[in-house]
């Protein structure tokens, strides 16, 4: 696809553009003009082409106070864009490149990035990503000159954003941008968690708690890994039909379990428990349910959900002694710079199904509809198109 | 082990009254929670279908015996014959037992291994589903006891073994035949403690050469983890204990560093370990059985790839609590195992071979030896933190 823009006119200068501003927790985003500073050293300014809403945006958007809460803020962390300009020292990408901004850092230099194990990046201090990772400051100011906070170092609900090079992945131009956008968080998280992090084996029994985009992506991953049974657990009975398209073989609705607990039902239907249980919602009580649904002597529970209330996970010590494992990961345990391209290739080779995740599309000015649809449980991924960008392939 | 042949034909098929006196033992019965065991005559019934009767040569005390000896609520029950770490010789077998014969040297092992069910056949699990592990008080197949006292009262078994007795009856799923070349006061260690620790390091955690390992609790289990880590080629083995004497003792087991958990000052133990390892250990093992220590161990295993292994057995009902944000963000693994993740029938012979080949060192675990009548001394020594393994000989 071709994107025409006056790239070199704006390099080195602040850009005035539109952003969907979150001024108060839980309130509809407001379309405002912001000023986006030029990228400093190691940074990239990106023109966002399309973005999508992930529930993690919603979780932090709703959080009115506490160490993770910052307002006004530009949310959004699942997106695809084009490099408008780069700061000093950036050689990996240049103006015009199609890129994904990723919340998961990957500097490539620290001990963790260099290790084959895990996908943590320890170059920058851990923080809630409300500013740029190297100096903690913001590149956004509103029309009153006030700082607007970043989100996860991405902030894609804006026509332009600035992202550190450790969070930028160059994409092959063959992949349609709306499919590319899905790979920058939710779908990669789910598929990666199943295939790379948990390494679901052929013939395994998998149980997935929460059939949103991440849960269904886990199902897609488990399907690719040739799991024999993929049990979906969700309160919304419609998710079963939807889930079948992603490989779900059995469905459990917690409200229809009668006197039994969900974990009892799953233990019974799997003759002792599932080999792999994934929590894809963000509720500690469900993480415990997932754990109790896992098989003794090898059952693995993987936590993917971002706990919405800060509640702790509580499990029985004897049950873990019985050979169970609990793990958690961000971004499916993947290293963005090395692993996303293989998923893009799998999509282009028609192995990985991405189309099924896109249930709605809106234009940027209607971004609040995306929130409504997700909160009402009506959407998986709603693509939000920036102005003048169309889905031309 | 000397080649003394034991003539069992005169006792086969009949109940045995274990007689006291002459240095031999009857059974050491736990009649009340926390009270010294009483050496008394008991009647041991002949083995029923798929069972064997074993003459115990020696047994050793493990802290899990103490846990269920002093617990006053289920699954504790009284009167009970405790003991689950032992070596013996088969005295007689049921008619339908062909894989074992009188005279075989065997370990009774608390973790069942039927060798036939899907889990026993799988290499992912060591938890038999035919005889699921629980703190059992009776025989596995018919749920009854083989022990009665002289008043005719039933005595409870303990996790399918009950080795604090001159004779015991055990299901074939709980018996592992071993090479008699290994001395009995080394063999018995492999029926629980040392196998659990070595297995936790080599099998459950799969410690790699060059790793940094932290071990919480330097009893026999923790030191067995150190032995396993040493065999795996760990570069640093950090031991944590409240007993400063364990520093010197630990050196014999390959500890490179020692943290006295009562001398950490304002810092938590996990903070001390995180600091000394520049970010956390690759593997942390909790070998005491305290939820608070599991939390400490989890906190100081390295983010990104650290693994925390729960080995110690806490009181039933104990809950482990974790910060959900940390579980998600830190990329750590929490795993637990029984018997070090090992399968008794296939892995114990492997450990015995390692001992006979001088790869696995067992001598250093035995710090005391007593006769059966002095069994309560073994309890005192362990409770006072003075022993690792005290071997209790039936016939000296």
């Amino acid at each position: 696809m071709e994107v025409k823009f006056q790239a070199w006119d704006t390099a080195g200068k602040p850009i005035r553009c539109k952003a969907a501003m979150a001024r108060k927790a839980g309130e509809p985003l407001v379309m405002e003009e912001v000023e986006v500073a030029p990228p400093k050293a190691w940074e990239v300014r990106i023109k966002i082409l399309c973005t999508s809403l992930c529930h993690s945006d919603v979780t932090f958007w709703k959080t009115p106070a506490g160490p993770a809460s910052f307002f006004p803020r530009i949310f959004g962390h699942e997106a695809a864009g084009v490099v408008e300009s780069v700061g000093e020292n950036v050689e990996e990408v240049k103006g015009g490149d199609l890129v994904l901004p990723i919340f998961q850092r990957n500097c490539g230099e620290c001990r963790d990035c260099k290790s084959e194990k895990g996908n943590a990046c320890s170059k920058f201090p851990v923080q809630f990503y409300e500013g740029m990772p190297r100096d903690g400051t913001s590149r956004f100011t509103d029309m009153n000159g006030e700082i607007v906070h970043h989100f996860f170092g991405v902030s894609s609900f804006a026509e332009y954003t600035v992202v550190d090079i450790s969070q930028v992945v160059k994409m092959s131009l063959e992949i349609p941008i709306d499919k590319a956008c899905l790979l920058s968080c939710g779908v990669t998280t789910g598929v990666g968690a199943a295939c790379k992090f948990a390494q679901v084996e052929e013939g395994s029994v998998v149980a997935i708690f929460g059939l949103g985009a991440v849960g269904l992506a886990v199902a897609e991953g488990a399907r690719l890994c040739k799991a024999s049974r993929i049990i979906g657990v969700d309160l919304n009975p419609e998710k079963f039909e939807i889930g079948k398209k992603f490989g779900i073989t059995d469905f459990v609705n917690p409200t229809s379990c009668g006197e039994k607990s969900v974990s009892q039902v799953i233990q019974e239907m799997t003759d002792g428990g599932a080999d792999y249980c994934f929590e894809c919602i963000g509720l500690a009580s469900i993480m415990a349910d997932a754990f109790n649904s896992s098989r003794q002597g090898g059952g693995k529970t993987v936590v993917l959900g971002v706990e919405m209330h800060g509640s702790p996970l509580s499990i029985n010590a004897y049950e873990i002694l019985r050979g169970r494992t609990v793990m958690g990961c961000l971004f499916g345990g993947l290293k963005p710079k090395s692993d996303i391209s293989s998923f893009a290739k799998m999509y282009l080779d028609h192995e990985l199904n991405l189309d099924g995740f896109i249930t709605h599309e809106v234009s940027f000015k209607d971004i609040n509809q995306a929130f409504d649809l997700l909160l009402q449980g009506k959407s998986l991924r709603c693509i939000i198109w920036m102005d003048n960008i169309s889905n031309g392939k | 082990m000397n080649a003394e042949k034991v003539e069992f034909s005169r006792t086969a098929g009949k109940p045995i009254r274990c007689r006291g006196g002459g240095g031999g033992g009857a059974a050491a019965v736990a009649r009340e929670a926390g009270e010294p065991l009483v050496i008394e005559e008991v009647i041991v019934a002949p083995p029923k279908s798929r069972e064997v009767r074993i003459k115990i040569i020696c047994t050793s005390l493990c802290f899990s015996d103490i846990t269920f000896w002093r617990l006053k609520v289920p699954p504790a029950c009284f009167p009970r014959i405790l003991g689950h770490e032992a070596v013996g010789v088969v005295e007689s077998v049921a008619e339908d037992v062909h894989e074992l014969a009188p005279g075989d040297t065997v370990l009774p092992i608390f973790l069942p291994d039927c060798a036939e069910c899907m889990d026993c056949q799988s290499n992912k699990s060591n938890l038999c589903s035919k005889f699921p592990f629980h703190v059992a008080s009776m025989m596995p197949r018919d749920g009854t006891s083989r022990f009665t006292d002289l008043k005719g009262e039933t005595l409870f078994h303990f996790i399918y073994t009950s080795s604090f007795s001159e004779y015991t009856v055990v299901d074939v799923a709980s018996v592992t035949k071993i090479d008699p070349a290994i001395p009995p006061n080394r063999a018995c260690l492999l029926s629980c403690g040392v196998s659990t620790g070595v297995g936790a390091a080599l099998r459950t955690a799969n410690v790699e050469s060059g790793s940094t390992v932290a071990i919480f609790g330097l009893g026999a289990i923790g030191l067995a983890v150190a032995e396993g880590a040493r065999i795996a080629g760990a570069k640093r083995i950090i031991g944590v204990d409240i007993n400063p004497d364990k520093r010197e003792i630990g050196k014999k087991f390959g500890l490179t560093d020692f943290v006295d958990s009562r001398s950490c000052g304002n810092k938590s133990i996990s903070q001390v370990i995180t600091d000394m390892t520049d970010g956390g250990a690759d593997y942390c093992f909790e070998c005491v059985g305290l939820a608070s220590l599991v939390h400490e161990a989890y906190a100081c295993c390295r983010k990104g790839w650290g693994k925390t292994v729960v080995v110690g057995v806490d009181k039933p009902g104990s809950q482990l609590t974790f910060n959900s944000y940390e579980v998600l963000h830190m990329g750590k693994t929490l795993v637990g195992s029984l018997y070090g993740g090992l399968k008794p029938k296939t892995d114990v012979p492997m450990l015995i071979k390692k001992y006979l080949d001088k790869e696995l060192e067992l001598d250093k675990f035995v710090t005391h030896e007593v006769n059966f009548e002095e069994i309560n001394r073994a309890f005192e020594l362990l409770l006072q933190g003075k022993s690792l393994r005290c071997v209790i000989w039936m016939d000296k």
Side-chain angles (χ1 to χ4, degrees):
Chain A
M1 60 155 293
E2 265 188 59
V3 178
K4 291 191 173 73
F5 59 95
Q6 310 272 295
W8 309 117
D9 283 2
T10 49
K13 301 176 197 149
I15 291 179
R16 248 195 196 191
C17 65
K18 280 190 282 204
M21 191 80 77
R23 288 221 164 257
K24 232 176 138 186
E27 289 194 6
L29 307 187
V30 182
M31 214 50 84
E32 293 184 21
E33 289 243 309
V34 293
E35 203 167 83
V36 185
K40 289 189 184 176
W42 308 107
E43 297 174 5
V44 180
R45 192 158 59 185
I46 299 171
K47 179 181 166 68
I48 297 294
L49 301 175
C50 64
T51 178
S52 38
L53 179 64
C54 166
H55 205 280
S56 300
D57 292 295
V58 173
T59 295
F60 289 92
W61 165 71
K62 277 188 184 177
T63 304
S69 177
F70 297 92
F71 293 93
R73 195 171 202 176
I74 296 174
F75 285 98
H77 64 285
E78 218 177 72
V82 175
V83 176
E84 173 269 343
S85 63
V86 303
E88 267 180 55
N89 303 327
V90 174
E91 280 156 33
E92 220 174 295
V93 295
K94 60 186 191 309
D97 283 348
L98 178 67
V99 293
L100 302 187
I102 313 277
F103 73 91
Q104 179 75 11
R105 295 168 181 168
N106 190 187
C107 75
E109 294 160 359
C110 67
R111 178 180 167 186
D112 292 84
C113 279
K114 288 196 173 144
S115 162
E116 273 170 23
K117 297 196 263 182
N119 70 338
C121 171
S122 43
K123 192 173 170 91
F124 310 118
V126 177
Q127 45 152 334
F128 285 96
Y129 302 81
E130 78 277 16
M132 295 301 284
R134 278 169 223 255
D135 66 9
T137 62
S138 171
R139 301 288 163 270
F140 297 117
T141 35
D142 69 9
M143 290 299 100
N144 296 326
E146 306 223 349
I147 298 282
V148 180
H149 298 286
H150 290 250
F151 181 63
F152 288 174
V154 174
S155 290
S156 60
F157 292 166
E159 288 178 318
Y160 287 86
T161 185
V162 180
V163 179
D164 192 277
I165 188 61
S166 65
Q167 296 181 240
V168 175
V169 175
K170 188 169 164 178
M171 287 299 291
S172 139
L173 287 170
E174 294 169 53
I175 181 164
I177 49 172
D178 55 341
K179 311 301 185 290
C181 163
L182 297 179
L183 293 179
S184 73
C185 176
V187 174
T188 307
T189 294
V191 177
C195 298
K196 293 269 173 92
F197 185 68
Q199 298 190 327
V200 170
E201 292 152 352
E202 186 169 343
S204 305
V205 175
V206 172
I208 304 170
F209 292 73
L211 300 178
V214 172
L216 290 170
V218 171
E220 175 68 3
R223 181 189 69 77
L224 288 168
C225 294
K226 303 197 175 90
S228 64
R229 277 178 91 183
I230 305 174
I231 303 164
V233 184
D234 204 287
L235 295 171
N236 179 354
E238 286 171 31
K239 289 291 172 93
F240 191 24
E241 278 313 303
I242 297 168
K244 281 182 190 171
K245 284 182 250 162
F246 293 87
I248 302 274
T249 58
D250 302 78
F251 185 73
V252 175
N253 186 334
T255 56
S256 312
C257 289
E259 284 168 8
K260 295 185 182 171
S261 65
V262 171
S263 49
Q264 268 175 296
V265 169
I266 292 180
Q267 293 252 350
E268 282 168 22
M269 69 195 284
T270 57
D271 195 29
D275 300 300
Y276 300 91
C277 291
F278 295 84
E279 197 275 358
C280 308
I281 299 171
L283 285 172
S285 56
I286 298 184
M287 294 172 196
D289 285 342
F291 175 75
N292 291 323
S293 305
S294 69
R295 199 175 183 71
Q296 68 171 1
K300 286 193 169 87
T301 300
V302 179
V303 173
L304 299 178
V306 178
E307 225 291 338
M308 305 183 197
H309 311 298
S311 302
L313 167 59
S314 181
I315 58 178
N316 181 295
Y318 272 35
E319 295 307 324
I320 195 131
L321 275 178
R322 290 173 187 276
R324 291 186 172 88
T325 301
V326 179
M327 315 187 286
C329 69
L330 289 173
F331 205 57
L334 304 180
K335 292 184 191 293
K337 297 204 192 214
S338 32
D339 298 327
I340 291 181
S341 53
S342 60
F343 280 38
K345 185 169 186 309
M346 279 165 63
Y347 169 74
L348 293 169
D349 290 344
H350 303 285
E351 285 168 22
L352 174 66
N353 161 28
L354 290 179
D355 301 24
F357 289 96
I358 300 174
T359 53
H360 297 80
E361 300 184 57
V362 298
S363 52
F364 190 34
K365 63 175 172 43
D366 296 323
I367 189 170
N368 286 309
Q369 281 181 30
F371 279 72
D372 293 336
L373 288 163
L374 189 61
L375 287 164
Q376 291 158 20
K378 291 179 179 167
S379 62
L380 290 176
R381 276 300 186 258
C382 175
I383 302 289
I384 300 149
W385 291 99
M386 293 299 165
D387 292 345
N388 304 320
I389 310 296
S390 68
N391 195 8
K393 291 184 178 65
Chain B
M1 162 161 181
N2 65 48
E4 188 183 35
K5 224 171 132 190
V6 190
E7 300 273 342
F8 287 129
S9 48
R10 53 195 164 82
T11 47
K14 303 171 192 149
I16 288 180
R17 268 170 84 123
C18 300
R19 279 185 273 265
V29 181
R31 288 205 162 269
E32 265 186 69
E35 295 293 315
L37 307 188
V38 181
I39 305 265
E40 54 183 84
E41 282 193 53
V42 298
I43 300 171
V44 185
K48 289 192 182 177
S49 166
R50 303 299 285 150
E51 296 172 6
V52 303
R53 192 158 59 187
I54 299 172
K55 179 173 166 51
I56 298 293
I57 300 169
C58 63
T59 179
S60 35
L61 180 63
C62 168
F63 209 92
S64 298
D65 292 299
I66 290 190
T67 298
F68 292 97
W69 163 71
R70 58 185 183 184
L71 188 66
K72 295 181 182 172
V73 295
C77 49
F78 301 92
R80 195 174 210 169
I81 298 178
L82 295 162
H84 62 284
E85 216 178 74
V87 60
V89 177
V90 176
E91 172 266 345
S92 60
V93 305
E95 268 182 33
D96 57 2
V97 172
H98 308 290
E99 59 266 57
L100 295 164
D104 282 349
T105 305
V106 294
L107 301 187
I109 298 182
F110 73 94
L111 190 71
D113 182 356
C114 78
E116 292 163 355
C117 69
M118 187 181 80
D119 291 85
C120 282
Q121 301 267 321
S122 156
N123 60 11
K124 285 206 278 180
S125 168
N126 73 334
L127 296 182
C128 176
S129 40
K130 184 162 179 180
F131 301 112
F133 173 77
H134 62 284
V135 186
S137 58
M138 293 294 188
M139 292 299 281
R141 278 172 224 253
D142 74 358
T144 63
S145 170
R146 302 287 163 271
F147 297 117
T148 32
D149 68 9
L150 293 185
K151 292 183 185 155
E153 198 192 347
T154 297
L155 303 172
F156 291 109
H157 289 249
F158 181 57
I159 46 180
Y160 301 141
T161 45
S162 290
S163 61
F164 292 164
S165 173
E166 200 185 353
Y167 287 88
T168 185
V169 179
V170 179
D171 192 281
V172 295
S174 308
V175 178
T176 293
K177 186 172 165 178
I178 63 164
D179 183 341
I182 176 171
N185 56 354
R186 304 292 178 259
C188 64
L189 304 176
L190 295 177
S191 79
C192 179
V194 175
S195 299
T196 294
V198 172
L202 296 180
R203 181 66 54 81
T204 305
N206 200 8
V207 171
E208 296 141 351
S209 176
S211 303
T212 295
V213 168
I215 303 169
F216 290 70
L218 300 178
I221 304 288
L223 291 169
V225 170
E227 176 67 1
R230 181 190 70 78
I231 292 172
K235 189 170 75 171
R236 270 182 98 180
I237 304 176
I238 304 165
V240 184
D241 205 284
I242 54 176
N243 179 355
D245 293 344
K246 293 287 169 100
R247 181 191 294 272
E248 280 312 303
I249 294 169
K251 284 182 185 167
K252 277 184 265 167
F253 290 82
L255 291 200
T256 57
D257 304 78
F258 178 76
V259 174
D260 180 340
S261 50
R262 291 194 173 162
S263 308
C264 290
N266 291 331
K267 289 186 176 178
S268 63
I269 308 170
S270 54
Q271 192 57 54
V272 169
I273 292 182
T274 302
D275 290 345
M276 71 196 281
T277 54
D278 193 31
D282 300 306
Y283 300 94
C284 287
F285 295 83
E286 197 280 354
C287 304
V288 176
L290 279 177
S292 55
L293 275 183
V294 176
H295 301 146
E296 287 291 318
Y298 187 77
C300 63
C301 78
R302 195 187 173 72
K303 79 162 167 50
W305 62 70
K307 216 180 227 180
T308 295
V309 184
V310 181
V311 187
V313 179
D314 202 342
K315 290 195 259 307
S318 169
Q319 290 288 112
L320 301 173
T321 304
F322 302 95
N323 178 307
S324 306
Y325 170 84
E326 276 187 43
V327 172
L328 177 67
H329 284 246
M330 296 296 144
K332 299 178 184 181
T333 298
L334 177 75
V335 62
S337 66
L338 287 173
Y339 200 58
L342 302 178
K343 287 178 184 296
K345 297 192 188 196
T346 32
D347 292 320
V348 167
M350 177 268 293
L351 290 179
I352 290 180
K353 185 172 186 308
K354 279 196 198 293
Y355 168 76
L356 294 171
D357 289 346
K358 303 207 194 298
E359 275 178 53
L360 172 66
E361 296 170 10
L362 294 179
D363 304 11
K364 54 199 177 184
F365 288 92
V366 180
T367 53
H368 298 79
E369 299 191 59
V370 300
N371 293 331
F372 191 37
E373 308 93 74
E374 299 167 281
I375 190 170
N376 288 306
R377 178 102 183 94
F379 279 68
E380 284 162 28
L381 287 164
L382 192 56
L383 284 163
Q384 290 159 15
K386 291 181 177 165
S387 60
L388 290 177
R389 276 300 187 257
C390 174
V391 173
I392 301 146
W393 289 93
M394 290 303 170
D395 230 346
K396 219 164 182 167

